[in-house]
Amino acid sequence: MGVDLAVKIGKLKLKNPVMVSSGTFGCGQQYEELVDLKELGAIVTKTITLQKREGNKPPRIAETYAGMLNAIGLENEGLNYFCETTLKYLNSLKTPSIISVAGKDENDYCKLVKELDKLKVKAVELNISCPNVKSKKKYMFSQDAQATYKLVSRVRKLTKTTLIVKLSPNVTDIKEIAKAAEDAGAEAVSLVNTFLGIAIDVNSRKPKLGNITGGLSGPAIKPLALRMVYEAASVLKIPIIGQGGIMSPEDGLEFIIAGATAISIGTANFIEPQSAILIKNGIEKYLVKNKIKNIKLLRGTIKIS
Ligand SMILES: Cc1cc2nc3c(=O)[nH]c(=O)nc-3n(C[C@H](O)[C@H](O)[C@H](O)COP(=O)(O)O)c2cc1C
């Protein structure tokens, strides 16, 4: 039996629901000898900013039980470099790409989106949830429903491209923030970015990360991320791209059953570059075995009696 894995995120059509997460897959090029990129549902690029950023002082990564802490600090070459080089590469691929952007204030986000709109990119993900950069605000946009609404509304007016908003798990009520993004015109939300954490070297008594705190990712966060996807799905009409510790087809299926339309693979790429494809193949097998013709029929089917 053939099964249909295709899903839609806003206007973006994906041939399967398994994408790779921002910051864990470069812009695809770095993985092309290891992974058949056309098998991926989509590639979410490393977040780009208006100006080049050097990132945080090292060390930027610390291993933890069942996960990792990172405080990269959005190191990237900046918008101009991206548009002149990386975007050409991404446009040459058969797999759609989603361009992740971050700014220090609303104006930055607007400038980034305006420029990308001129270049007719297929989709933009507003990263309003990076825990590792200092901005003018004391908190992230995604930690405040009103700030999320105001930013997304402003950006929405500047582009017709598919607009995805990536949210932070470091909040009390994810439903409130996700709804603010939807009400402001987001066509999908990505859930979740990393959880703020810290690790200390007991010999030196210094933090293991140069930035002191970092973002926790990997299997350690899966039940937390899954709970947030489940909660957000109870209030949203727009699609959710679920992520956080997905390592296996079963993990991915849990997110879809909880209400995600698509899933994204992050930390797993560092362990096994083929993770996304293996997960996609496993999901396909599950659908065949359970005689489910279309992935959409599985979405949000969690049984609560
Ligand atoms: C090393 C590293 C770098 C990351 N960089 C970004 C980034 O630039 N932009 C972003 O939106 N998320 C970034 N993330 C967060 C991931 O995209 C993802 O949301 C998060 O890690 C949870 O998924 P996972 O547990 O499968 O890794 C990064 C994560 C890691 C581990």
Side-chain angles (χ1 to χ4, degrees):
M1 181 182 98
V3 292
D4 186 359
L5 286 177
V7 295
K8 261 180 96 183
I9 300 291
K11 296 168 282 291
L12 196 64
K13 287 183 189 145
L14 311 187
K15 61 176 177 294
N16 72 67
V18 188
M19 48 177 84
V20 284
S21 296
S22 180
T24 66
F25 209 78
C27 288
Q29 211 155 6
Q30 298 84 340
Y31 276 80
E32 68 179 8
E33 283 178 16
L34 301 167
V35 179
D36 185 1
L37 299 178
K38 66 179 181 317
E39 293 277 306
L40 301 171
I43 296 171
V44 186
T45 68
K46 171 74 191 161
T47 297
I48 56 164
T49 51
L50 267 183
Q51 311 299 338
K52 179 182 163 106
R53 283 179 60 93
E54 301 290 346
N56 290 329
K57 80 171 187 208
R60 294 172 172 185
I61 281 178
E63 262 192 65
T64 65
Y65 292 117
M68 63 186 279
L69 278 169
N70 92 80
I72 308 292
L74 299 185
E75 178 186 349
N76 77 102
E77 295 294 326
L79 179 70
N80 285 346
Y81 177 88
F82 177 84
C83 293
E84 280 159 22
T85 58
T86 318
L87 191 55
K88 287 199 183 90
Y89 170 76
L90 288 169
N91 287 340
S92 75
L93 299 176
K94 292 206 167 70
T95 304
S97 44
I98 298 170
I99 317 303
S100 169
V101 299
K104 60 183 177 325
D105 55 27
E106 278 186 17
N107 290 341
D108 268 16
Y109 281 96
C110 290
K111 282 184 201 154
L112 282 155
V113 169
K114 249 185 176 169
E115 281 308 308
L116 291 171
D117 185 72
K118 279 189 212 154
L119 298 169
K120 302 202 174 352
V121 303
K122 291 199 187 82
V124 170
E125 181 170 274
L126 298 184
N127 174 6
I128 59 169
S129 48
C130 180
N132 302 321
V133 287
K134 289 179 185 62
S135 68
K136 284 182 185 161
K137 290 176 175 301
K138 287 203 182 73
Y139 52 85
M140 303 172 227
F141 280 98
S142 59
Q143 286 178 313
D144 179 315
Q146 274 181 343
T148 298
Y149 181 85
K150 195 161 159 273
L151 172 68
V152 178
S153 310
R154 254 190 89 181
V155 168
R156 178 71 283 179
K157 292 191 189 92
L158 302 173
T159 185
K160 289 203 163 55
T161 194
T162 292
L163 191 61
I164 302 164
V165 180
K166 183 153 180 191
L167 300 180
S168 172
N170 301 295
V171 295
T172 310
D173 182 3
I174 194 67
K175 297 194 291 298
E176 190 194 2
I177 312 280
K179 196 77 184 69
E182 178 179 88
D183 290 347
E187 284 159 275
V189 290
S190 263
L191 281 180
V192 295
N193 209 318
T194 51
F195 285 77
L196 260 180
I198 187 169
I200 299 170
D201 179 325
V202 293
N203 294 315
S204 65
R205 297 187 213 165
K206 287 184 178 164
K208 287 188 180 171
L209 294 173
N211 188 52
I212 307 173
T213 59
L216 183 65
S217 64
I221 70 169
K222 197 201 85 184
L224 304 166
L226 189 61
R227 185 263 300 170
M228 291 190 145
V229 166
Y230 167 69
E231 286 183 355
S234 71
V235 296
L236 292 185
K237 293 187 193 74
I238 55 174
I240 299 172
I241 302 166
Q243 60 201 291
I246 300 177
M247 309 299 282
S248 68
E250 288 73 21
D251 291 338
L253 286 162
E254 281 187 75
F255 276 81
I256 294 168
I257 293 168
T261 294
I263 55 171
S264 200
I265 313 303
T267 302
N269 295 314
F270 299 130
I271 300 161
E272 166 54 82
Q274 306 261 4
S275 289
I277 296 175
L278 297 171
I279 290 168
K280 188 259 294 172
N281 292 344
I283 290 177
E284 193 167 12
K285 266 193 196 152
Y286 170 92
L287 294 182
V288 171
K289 191 171 158 218
N290 290 281
K291 299 190 173 51
I292 301 169
K293 282 199 179 121
N294 192 317
I295 186 82
K296 296 182 196 92
L297 298 172
L298 191 64
R299 184 189 313 149
T301 56
I302 181 170
K303 293 182 181 166
I304 313 273
S305 50

